[in-house]
Amino acid sequence: MSQARLMQGNEACAEGAMAAGVNFFGGYPITPSTEIAEIMAKELPALGGTFIQMEDEIAGIAVVLGAALAGRKALTATSGPGFSLKQELIGYGCIAEIPLVIANVQRMGPATGQPTSPAQGDVMQARWGTHGDHPMIALSPWTVRESFDVAVMAVNYAERFRTPVIILLDEVVGHMREKVVLPKAEDIEIYPRRKPNCTREEGYKPYTPMADLVPNPADFGTGHHIHVTGLIHDETGFPTGSSKVTEDTIQRLHQKISRVQDEITHYDEFFMEDAEYAVLTYGGTARTAYAAVKMARQQGIKVGMVRLMTIWPFADKVIKKVAQKVKKILVPEMNYGQLVLEVERAAAGQAAVISLPKYNTEIFTPKEICTAIEELATEVVK
């Protein structure tokens, strides 16, 4: 058994990425994510990997895209302002189907906002920040150990689906320290880089989709011809003005994720067996919500909790099931009210959905959420 360690969430994220095979980091320092870069700068060279600090946030993700195209498993880390700057190249990664992981340790915004203050204001940006129609995978841990596990999962999903994957941490989890026991290397499942399944003479085209709708383009420098562009392209990788190819490409990009949505939707349920009310939560807020739910249950209120790890694609089926069971759903989040809109959409009127926003640089207290639960239980549903 591995030895117990006292670790920070950002540290666990960095170690999880390396455990999953990340051997290239490019980025630019920004609080509250900087510890990820610091650990990568120290550890990667010793493992035969590469760390490079670029001149700005845009270059930080550009170099990661290049490294991924050359066969490296690659990671960048940032926070709100940097995440905004990276959006165009996240879109490039989507259309060119380049595997990479972006760790976004959320802080208060907009713009420079309140550096190193906790927030969850990048939830919608994670899904819709880059222009055009595209799928997105975003995962949000709520413990230090899960920060490690989510990093492994994010790297594996990036490689499996050849797409950018976002680790949506927040300052609470990123800077929190807990005693953790990490898994042994031999117990960690690692998804390998996809490789071409035929030669050029046998008809190899870099963007021919396989049975899972994901192509197997060759890495640069392996002897195969490959053309990469941000334009809509056909199976050869070269641009095309075809309306049919355009439509087919956009559909395939979505379907390669939607076909496995149930598999990649990760969540926890607590005290839901007899629940008449539910708290829907994620990230650092989930920790406070859990304590609040326990407090409310001690008062005799039949309330449960659903904690989402997978933020995108959104857990529509999970929310629909919850809405069919309970009278009301409370959604606390450290923003002006973002994911609550998705909960309302998925609940489709089957349960009342109540937003509990907080956006003043302070985390929720258990009492705040417990008081909101008490109000849920005493109000009459309109």
Side-chain angles (χ1 to χ4, degrees), residues 69 162 194-196 204 206 216-226:
L69 286 169
R162 289 197 65 97
R194 301 175 73 113
K195 303 291 183 183
Y204 162 74
N216 292 340
D219 297 330
F220 284 0
T222 58
H224 290 269
H225 175 80
I226 180 171

Side-chain angles (χ1 to χ4, degrees), residues 112-136:
T112 309
Q114 292 279 14
T116 318
S117 294
Q120 295 174 311
D122 302 350
V123 172
M124 286 298 176
Q125 186 184 27
R127 178 63 185 89
W128 302 109
T130 191
H131 63 279
D133 290 311
H134 60 281
M136 187 56 66

Side-chain angles (χ1 to χ4, degrees), residues 1 44 52 63 72 76 100 109 124 140 144 153 171 196 199 219 224 269 279 306 320 326:
M1 186 175 180
L44 276 183
I52 182 167
V63 72
R72 297 294 192 97
T76 189
L100 74 150
M124 286 298 176
S140 180
V144 172
M153 187 181 296
E171 188 277 336
T199 66
D219 297 330
H224 290 269
E269 291 187 351
V279 177
V306 178
K320 182 178 180 180
V326 303

Side-chain angles (χ1 to χ4, degrees), residues 161-183:
F161 304 117
R162 289 197 65 97
T163 190
V165 175
I166 296 167
I167 303 174
L168 205 55
L169 292 135
D170 53 57
E171 188 277 336
V172 175
V173 177
H175 280 165
M176 177 177 61
R177 286 178 168 82
E178 291 182 313
K179 185 175 76 171
V180 298
V181 177
L182 299 181

Side-chain angles (χ1 to χ4, degrees), residues 123-124 127 136 138 261 265 280 282 308 310-320 339-347:
V123 172
M124 286 298 176
R127 178 63 185 89
M136 187 56 66
Q261 181 165 345
T265 297
L280 190 287
Y282 59 97
L308 298 181
T310 302
I311 306 299
W312 305 111
F314 191 67
D316 287 65
K317 291 182 180 179
V318 175
I319 302 306
K320 182 178 180 180
L339 205 65
V340 65
L341 302 175
E342 286 294 293
V343 177
E344 287 180 347
R345 179 187 58 78

Side-chain angles (χ1 to χ4, degrees), residues 107-109 113-114 116-120 333-336 357-365 368:
R107 74 189 210 190
M108 192 75 197
Q114 292 279 14
T116 318
S117 294
Q120 295 174 311
E333 45 187 339
M334 290 187 290
N335 55 49
Y336 199 69
K358 190 168 186 178
Y359 39 90
N360 64 354
T361 76
E362 297 179 1
I363 64 173
F364 281 100
T365 66
E368 285 176 316

